[in-house]
């Protein structure tokens, strides 16, 4: 990225109204294929934002960029006021080094479609790995915290099982506990119910509902569960062709969609059910 | 026609058994070197630098496609040219360890590649450092799929130790040669060396298969 | 003595050693393929004794060292009245050893030909022999060719051991040269490079070509 691309971006976002997450003019492309086109998106502290849209609309890429699993080709991402993809040097921004990325990234946790639990560690060990070896927490404290979280997701009795002995729903609940154990300020849920059998989807969505009602986490979610998204989201963003086509409260977007494409998408989803 | 002498066989057996100890020691030491060095060679091919990766790759190819016996001579005779005197054992262990490190690096490479991408992503999402990710997450998962290949090469290194006799390491083959030139009897010592190798390698191969099955269960994998 | 002088003085011997190594490699490769095919098919025979014979052969030659086998064939076989000239003993030992490894490749490849092919051959009433020769083996050949590439490199490396029974191959020549000149880096280093060139720039490309050729011939390209 050329440095003069970055002149307009502040090295730090300040003030009480600053968003927890800001995508400022973010572009992502693979060769000539543009996946995200100048995305601007703010997520306020404690807000639950759900991203919906057809496959290939770039919605998962939004989460993956925020987790630094994908690099970006233009723009800046801010987390909790600090740039994530860049770092301040004097009054300018330069591409971030690994240390800076690690520092800012520690505020973000993520759950994946395929769970991605570590198969050679028990549920408890999965939840202790990060706190002990990244945050440097004493083992005893980490275990206490991991046990609390496993209890919260209803997996306390499976703490010594390896992932291969757990069902998909159980693995996903452990994965949520594992992400929470890092005390993130922002949680990302990337199609966390897509790989699950229909009858166990509820046990995972219930855990997320509980998180929304009992914790002040900022959350970004990509899902195909429209009913669930409508119930718990503060805001819904409809992605189409790498841009936000329309966004609003669940009521606005689901009951009074303004754009033609939004209406088409919602109709198609309804027919599929 | 067969002039097999049991009394002579019994006479030379103690010497052969002592030499078997050396053979096992050589195989064990060489393998220990190869296990560690092989991992280094495998990881060295995963750095962001393409040029460095290519150089290491070609080095591994070079070691794999040239004869071990020649490498043993090379290490043993060339080092003194540069003022480093190596004992036969040291030279032998360097050569055989390096040779099998090249083979094992290929095995590890396959194992490392077989770890799903999601594991890397999960490690990133927990902010684990690269080193931590390798040693706690990736390498433990790369090991079980590598075990079959690792086991094959353990048997392989055992069977290649006779080549160390060419620089005077007193393992089985060397001892059998010595007995042969002292007594002019070759039938018993060479046959016994063959029998001892069979007795070592067949059970080892079987044990490795059992160990592999056990470890897979133990790690909670399929 | 500079390296160029070294080469001009000993180049001829190194070259003649290289030729011996190439001839040895070709002869033992042919022997190894014949043995591999025979032992591999015998391993799958319905007759217990045929199967057992092949298994014992394979286990003995895979379970002991090539060097041990070479010495045994060269020094011990004469006691049974079978005296092989050292060159013959050399390629026979290498061929028999690698043939045992090849037998497992043959067996594995035959087993991995899809079951439907066996059934289809039976459905058009082929005899088992015809089925094996005309339907199964050509497909198995294609499956095992890549592994044979690795095996042939092992075989080339294996031929270096015949220097130890004084066959005048590349290894033997450079060992002699080293003995008179003490130029170890030059002599052994040159041999290493030559073996590398033979393996990487002759055997490997040849096997790649053979793979493509067979694929075209079997209509898979």
């Amino acid at each position: 990225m050329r440095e003069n691309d970055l002149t307009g971006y502040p090295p730090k976002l300040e003030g009480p109204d600053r968003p927890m997450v800001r995508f400022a003019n973010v572009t992502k492309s693979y060769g000539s294929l543009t996946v995200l086109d100048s995305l601007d998106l703010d997520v306020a502290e404690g807000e639950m934002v759900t991203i919906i849209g057809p496959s290939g609309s770039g919605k998962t890429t939004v989460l993956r960029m925020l987790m630094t699993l994908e690099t970006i080709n233009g723009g800046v991402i801010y987390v909790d006021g600090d740039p994530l993809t860049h770092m301040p040097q004097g009054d300018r921004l330069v591409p971030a080094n690994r240390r800076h990325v690690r520092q800012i990234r520690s505020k973000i946790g993520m759950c994946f479609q395929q769970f991605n639990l570590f198969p050679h560690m028990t549920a408890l060990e999965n939840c202790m790995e990060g706190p002990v070896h990244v945050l440097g927490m004493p083992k005893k404290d980490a275990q206490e915290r991991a046990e609390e979280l496993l209890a919260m997701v209803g997996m306390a009795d499976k703490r010594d099982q390896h992932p291969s002995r757990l069902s998909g729903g159980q693995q996903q609940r452990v994965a949520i506990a594992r992400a929470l154990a890092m005390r993130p300020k922002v949680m990302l849920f990337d199609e966390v119910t897509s790989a699950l059998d229909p009858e166990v989807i509820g046990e995972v969505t219930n855990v997320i509902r509980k998180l929304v009602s009992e914790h002040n986490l900022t959350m970004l979610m990509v899902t195909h569960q429209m009913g669930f998204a409508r119930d718990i989201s503060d805001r819904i963003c409809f992605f189409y062709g790498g841009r936000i086509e329309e966004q609003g409260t669940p009521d606005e977007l689901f009951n009074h969609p303004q754009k033609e494409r939004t209406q088409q998408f919602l109709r198609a989803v309804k027919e599929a059910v | 026609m067969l002039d097999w002498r049991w009394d002579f066989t019994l006479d030379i057996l103690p010497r052969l058994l002592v030499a078997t100890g050396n053979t096992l020691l050589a195989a064990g030491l060489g393998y220990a070197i190869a296990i560690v060095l092989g991992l280094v060679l495998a990881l060295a091919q995963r750095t962001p630098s393409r040029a460095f990766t290519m150089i290491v790759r070609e080095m591994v190819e070079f070691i794999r496609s040239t004869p071990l016996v020649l490498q043993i001579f090379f290490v043993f005779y060339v080092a003194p040219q540069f003022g480093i005197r190596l004992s036969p054992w040291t030279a032998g262990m360097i050569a055989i360890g390096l040779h099998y490190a090249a083979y094992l690096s290929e095995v590890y490479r396959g194992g490392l590649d077989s770890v799903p991408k999601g594991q890397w992503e999960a490690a990133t999402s927990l902010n684990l450092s690269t080193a931590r990710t390798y040693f706690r997450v990736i390498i433990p998962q790369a090991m079980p799929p590598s075990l079959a290949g690792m086991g094959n090469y353990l048997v392989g290194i055992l069977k290649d130790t006779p080549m160390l006799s060419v620089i005077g390491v007193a393992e089985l083959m060397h001892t059998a040669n010595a007995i042969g030139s002292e007594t002019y009897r070759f039938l018993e010592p060479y046959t016994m060396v063959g029998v001892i190798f069979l007795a070592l390698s067949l059970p080892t191969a079987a044990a490795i298969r059992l160990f592999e099955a056990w470890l897979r269960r133990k790690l909670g994998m399929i | 003595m500079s390296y160029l002088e070294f080469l001009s003085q000993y180049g001829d011997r190194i070259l003649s050693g290289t030729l011996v190594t190439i001839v040895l490699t070709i002869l033992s490769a042919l022997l190894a393929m014949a043995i591999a095919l025979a032992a591999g098919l015998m391993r799958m025979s319905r007759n217990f004794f045929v199967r057992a014979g092949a298994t014992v052969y394979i286990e003995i030659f895979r379970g002991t060292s090539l060097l041990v086998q070479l010495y045994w064939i060269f020094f011990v076989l004469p006691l049974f009245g079978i005296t092989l000239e050292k060159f013959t003993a050399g390629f026979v030992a290498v061929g028999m050893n690698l043939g045992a490894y090849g037998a497992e490749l043959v067996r594995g490849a035959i087993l991995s030909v899809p079951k439907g092919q066996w059934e289809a051959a039976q459905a058009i009433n082929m005899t088992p022999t015809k089925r094996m020769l005309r339907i199964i083996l050509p497909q198995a050949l294609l499956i095992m060719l890549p592994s044979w590439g690795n095996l042939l490199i092992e075989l080339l490396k294996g031929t270096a051991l015949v220097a130890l029974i004084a066959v005048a191959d590349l290894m033997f020549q450079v060992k002699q040269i080293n003995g008179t000149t003490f130029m170890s880096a030059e002599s052994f280093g040159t041999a290493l490079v030559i073996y590398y060139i033979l393996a990487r720039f002759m055997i490997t490309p040849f096997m790649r070509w053979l793979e493509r050729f067979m694929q075209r011939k079997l209509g898979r390209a």
Side-chain angles (χ1 to χ4, degrees):
Chain A
M1 189 181 312
R2 278 172 297 133
E3 271 176 53
N4 53 8
D5 283 344
L6 296 166
T7 40
Y9 301 98
K12 199 167 170 66
L13 305 180
E14 276 160 316
D17 295 339
R18 66 182 162 82
M20 179 55 82
V21 174
R22 164 168 289 175
F23 292 86
N25 201 21
V26 172
T27 297
K28 169 75 188 172
S29 52
Y30 298 101
S32 62
L33 176 75
T34 301
V35 186
L36 281 172
D37 188 10
S38 328
L39 173 70
D40 284 305
L41 175 65
D42 280 5
V43 182
E45 187 167 359
E47 194 182 12
M48 170 65 159
V49 173
T50 297
I51 299 173
I52 61 171
S55 63
S57 59
K59 53 194 195 306
T60 285
T61 309
V62 175
L63 301 195
R64 293 176 57 84
M65 289 187 316
L66 190 49
M67 193 70 256
T68 67
L69 299 174
E70 307 279 354
T71 54
I72 64 175
N73 305 95
V76 177
I77 300 175
Y78 295 89
V79 174
D80 202 10
D82 294 306
L84 165 74
T85 49
H86 301 76
M87 59 185 186
Q89 197 175 72
D91 55 353
R92 295 184 313 147
L93 283 178
V94 295
N97 61 23
R98 281 152 77 102
R99 202 161 134 236
H100 178 84
V101 169
R102 271 174 65 81
Q103 194 196 333
I104 306 302
R105 188 166 66 192
S106 67
K107 296 177 181 174
I108 306 167
M110 183 167 184
C111 294
F112 302 87
Q113 181 177 353
Q114 296 296 340
F115 333 129
N116 296 349
L117 288 178
F118 302 135
H120 55 302
M121 301 182 193
T122 63
L124 188 67
E125 286 165 349
N126 262 285
C127 297
M128 290 171 61
E129 180 65 21
V132 172
H133 296 289
V134 177
L135 305 179
M137 220 188 253
K139 262 209 165 111
K140 205 171 129 279
D141 300 356
Q143 178 166 349
E144 231 165 72
R145 167 121 181 104
E147 281 171 349
E148 267 170 40
L149 286 166
L150 284 173
M152 191 200 80
V153 300
M155 291 295 293
D157 54 330
K158 304 278 189 196
R159 45 168 267 185
D160 294 323
Q161 300 283 5
H162 282 94
S164 60
R165 309 293 291 279
L166 303 176
S167 73
Q170 290 172 328
Q171 289 191 54
Q172 195 59 287
R173 284 187 280 154
V174 174
I176 294 173
R178 176 176 74 174
L180 290 174
M182 298 298 285
R183 299 185 183 280
K185 291 188 160 182
V186 183
M187 270 292 279
L188 311 177
F189 295 98
D190 185 12
E191 302 197 27
V192 288
T193 55
S194 296
L196 298 179
D197 291 332
E199 70 271 18
V200 297
I201 287 178
E203 62 188 61
V204 172
T205 52
N206 282 339
V207 168
I208 299 176
R209 276 177 216 273
K210 201 153 126 190
L211 281 180
V212 172
S213 60
E214 293 173 13
H215 297 261
N216 191 35
L217 271 168
T218 306
M219 296 193 231
L220 258 166
M221 175 166 86
V222 171
T223 187
H224 296 295
Q225 304 286 118
M226 293 303 154
F228 175 57
R230 174 194 295 220
D231 284 358
I232 65 162
S233 308
D234 298 312
R235 179 157 47 116
I236 311 274
C237 293
F238 173 66
F239 267 67
Y240 190 92
R243 341 170 35 105
I244 301 178
E245 181 78 9
E246 185 172 355
Q247 58 178 317
T249 63
D251 177 58
E252 285 166 356
L253 199 106
F254 284 115
N255 299 335
H256 314 286
Q258 302 298 308
K259 296 279 182 68
E260 173 68 29
R261 283 182 179 137
T262 318
Q263 293 162 1
Q264 262 175 15
F265 175 75
L266 291 173
R267 253 200 317 275
V269 169
K270 214 173 281 169
E271 275 163 22
V273 171
Chain B
M1 69 165 188
L2 199 55
D3 171 37
W4 179 279
R5 277 176 42 195
W6 281 106
D7 57 333
F8 177 68
T9 309
L10 278 178
D11 272 356
I12 62 171
L13 199 57
R15 273 179 82 183
L16 289 177
L17 289 180
V18 171
T20 306
N22 280 343
T23 288
L24 290 174
L25 183 65
L29 278 176
Y31 196 61
I33 296 172
I35 279 190
V36 177
L37 199 59
L39 190 58
V40 173
L41 288 177
L43 293 177
Q45 291 175 57
R46 296 173 72 93
T47 63
S49 160
R50 273 185 67 87
F52 186 70
T53 301
M54 293 263 289
I55 291 169
V56 177
R57 224 356 306 100
E58 211 50 44
M59 210 173 85
V60 167
E61 281 298 326
F62 188 92
I63 297 171
R64 270 161 38 103
S65 46
T66 50
L68 172 57
V69 67
L70 184 54
Q71 292 167 3
I72 292 172
F73 276 123
F74 187 86
V75 173
F76 187 62
Y77 287 106
V78 172
Q81 269 189 320
F82 296 93
I84 310 161
R85 287 189 58 88
L86 297 176
S87 72
W89 267 93
T90 315
M93 290 304 97
I94 292 174
I96 211 168
L98 192 63
H99 193 78
Y100 275 88
Y103 278 109
L104 284 183
S105 76
E106 291 293 290
V107 173
Y108 292 138
R109 230 158 55 92
L112 290 169
D113 288 344
S114 75
V115 177
K117 209 167 135 249
Q119 293 293 311
W120 283 97
E121 298 183 347
T124 305
S125 80
L126 294 178
N127 223 0
L128 297 181
S129 66
T130 307
R132 191 88 209 148
T133 303
Y134 267 114
F135 286 103
R136 287 285 297 177
V137 179
I138 304 302
I139 292 175
Q141 294 184 63
M143 279 304 151
S146 303
L147 279 175
M150 290 174 73
N152 286 340
Y153 287 124
L154 175 58
V155 181
I157 205 169
L158 177 73
K159 286 184 297 188
D160 272 352
T161 51
M163 291 189 207
L164 296 170
S165 66
V166 298
I167 52 169
V169 173
E171 48 64 69
L172 261 175
M173 200 69 228
H174 190 263
T175 307
N177 283 339
I179 293 171
S181 57
E182 286 161 20
T183 63
Y184 299 104
R185 291 193 64 84
F186 295 99
L187 172 64
E188 293 87 350
Y190 285 152
T191 307
M192 284 310 290
V193 168
V195 170
I196 291 172
F197 267 107
L198 273 182
L200 292 176
S201 66
L202 293 183
T204 310
I208 285 164
R209 278 194 292 274
L210 287 177
F211 173 75
E212 202 192 329
W214 172 82
L215 199 86
R216 272 166 198 271
R217 270 203 310 280
K218 166 108 174 121
L219 289 175
M221 295 173 177
I222 341 104
Chain C
M1 195 191 290
S2 77
Y3 185 59
L4 273 181
E5 284 165 342
F6 172 85
L7 275 189
S8 68
Q9 188 159 353
Y10 297 104
D12 287 353
R13 283 173 66 182
I14 291 175
L15 199 65
S16 88
T18 306
L19 285 177
V20 172
T21 290
I22 291 174
V23 173
L24 267 170
T25 302
I26 293 172
L27 288 177
S28 33
L30 292 174
L31 182 62
M33 285 178 218
I35 290 177
L37 192 60
L41 289 173
M42 282 166 68
R43 268 278 266 162
M44 306 177 69
S45 161
R46 281 205 205 102
N47 183 314
F48 171 81
F49 294 101
V50 172
R51 218 166 52 230
T55 307
V56 168
Y57 173 81
I58 291 169
E59 291 297 332
I60 285 181
F61 276 85
R62 279 162 43 109
T64 61
S65 313
L66 173 55
L67 189 55
V68 178
Q69 292 154 22
L70 179 69
Y71 281 7
W72 206 89
I73 288 173
F74 190 63
F75 292 107
V76 178
L77 265 194
L79 303 178
F80 293 81
I82 308 167
T83 306
L84 296 179
E85 193 263 328
K86 60 192 180 188
F87 182 86
T88 314
F91 85 76
V92 166
V94 177
M96 288 182 80
N97 178 272
L98 273 302
Y101 286 91
E104 291 295 90
L105 292 185
V106 170
R107 192 174 79 101
I110 288 176
L111 286 176
S112 57
V113 172
K115 206 165 152 244
Q117 294 293 314
W118 297 77
E119 291 170 354
Q122 200 155 1
I124 56 170
N125 213 9
M126 273 188 163
T127 63
T129 316
K130 267 237 162 71
R131 176 175 66 187
M132 184 55 84
L133 287 178
R134 297 202 51 84
I135 308 298
I136 305 303
L137 270 184
Q139 299 185 55
L141 190 63
L142 204 57
I143 296 172
M144 64 184 165
L145 263 183
S147 314
W148 271 97
N150 287 329
L151 204 66
L152 286 185
I153 291 174
E154 291 302 317
L155 188 142
L156 167 72
K157 291 160 59 183
T159 62
L161 287 177
V162 303
L164 301 176
I165 56 168
V167 176
D169 74 334
L170 175 58
M171 172 78 211
F172 182 83
Q173 295 290 5
V174 294
K175 203 163 149 261
Q176 297 284 317
I177 295 168
N178 177 62
T180 50
T181 63
F182 300 105
M183 295 175 74
S184 307
E186 290 83 350
S187 47
F188 291 130
T190 306
L192 280 173
V193 171
I194 293 175
Y195 276 110
Y196 178 63
I197 290 170
L198 291 179
R200 192 126 163 76
F201 301 105
M202 295 181 80
I203 293 182
T204 304
F206 171 73
M207 290 307 286
R208 292 264 159 77
W209 172 83
L210 194 63
E211 259 173 72
R212 277 199 309 275
F213 176 78
M214 291 302 297
Q215 270 169 353
R216 258 203 315 279
K217 211 163 158 143
L218 293 177
R220 294 281 176 81

